[in-house]
Amino acid sequence: NRECQVAIAGGVNLYLHPAKYQSLCLRRMVSLDGKCRSYGAGGEGFVPGEGVGTVVLKPLSQAIEDRDRIYGVIRSSACDHSGRSNGYSAPNPNAQANLIREALRKAAIDPETISYVEGHGKGTALGDGIEVAALTQAFRSGTSKRQYCPIGSVKANIGHSESAAGIAGLTKVLLQIEHG
């Protein structure tokens, strides 16, 4: 929005007390076998993860002028509440699809040109299924092409770092781009 010249964005997640694990276990959110199967068969919970990460954000023209190393460009963003749903672990697929469509529209991106999606993928059949349904719904509004875009989640590698999950996923994508 051109409201600042530079920003630092990121996330931190640390489990500093055993009560957090107890709470997750009581809600039956944690994988019983210690493996997170994002978008895979047998997904029944997530693995808690700790992490910290940051990125420096600048307008592209300023980053070019300053000769900064540019890892990626944010073409658009969209923000919304997930809308009415059946609970914390069952988000609203229609609200998610609308949000994805809005981000694609603002960026003028054709869904057919997307070659990879780094999703949330916390490792539950319900949550991951809803996420895939929302992406499918959003992409189908711009293409009839099917099964052309892989989806993954860093949670299968490092666990669900909760408030640092977004920066972890972004870091994974930037490293994928950097290393081809």
Side-chain angles (χ1 to χ4, degrees):
N1 291 330
R2 309 224 189 288
E3 294 173 344
C4 67
Q5 294 300 308
V6 65
I8 298 173
V12 176
N13 189 60
L14 299 172
Y15 295 110
L16 301 175
H17 195 276
K20 177 67 176 185
Y21 286 108
Q22 291 171 339
S23 172
L24 293 172
C25 290
L26 285 172
R27 292 186 192 138
R28 298 182 181 195
M29 297 173 76
V30 176
S31 171
L32 296 176
D33 67 0
K35 295 180 182 174
C36 182
R37 293 179 174 83
S38 300
Y39 309 111
E44 38 75 22
F46 73 87
V47 175
E50 295 182 315
V52 59
T54 60
V55 291
V56 176
L57 304 173
K58 275 187 178 180
L60 181 58
S61 59
Q62 187 65 49
I64 292 169
E65 184 180 317
D66 294 344
R67 296 185 175 164
D68 292 334
R69 183 166 183 185
I70 300 168
Y71 289 91
V73 176
I74 300 171
R75 300 257 315 252
S76 79
S77 65
C79 184
D80 193 7
H81 186 276
S82 66
R84 187 171 187 211
S85 70
N86 290 322
Y88 181 69
S89 61
N92 183 321
N94 296 323
Q96 285 190 359
N98 289 336
L99 183 68
I100 295 163
R101 272 194 292 271
E102 176 66 8
L104 292 172
R105 183 195 64 74
K106 287 168 62 177
I109 294 175
D110 180 343
E112 280 190 28
T113 65
I114 298 172
S115 59
Y116 176 76
V117 170
E118 175 67 15
H120 184 66
K122 73 176 184 176
T124 65
L126 177 62
D128 291 357
I130 289 171
E131 187 177 354
V132 170
L135 280 163
T136 301
Q137 184 182 338
F139 278 30
R140 285 203 180 134
S141 65
T143 183
S144 59
K145 204 171 172 184
R146 294 173 176 256
Q147 296 183 341
Y148 67 93
C149 181
I151 185 171
S153 173
V154 73
K155 289 174 189 68
N157 303 98
I158 66 169
H160 190 340
S161 54
E162 299 189 53
S163 54
I167 194 67
L170 176 62
T171 301
K172 176 187 168 189
V173 169
L174 294 173
L175 287 169
Q176 286 176 310
I177 292 168
E178 181 180 14
H179 296 287

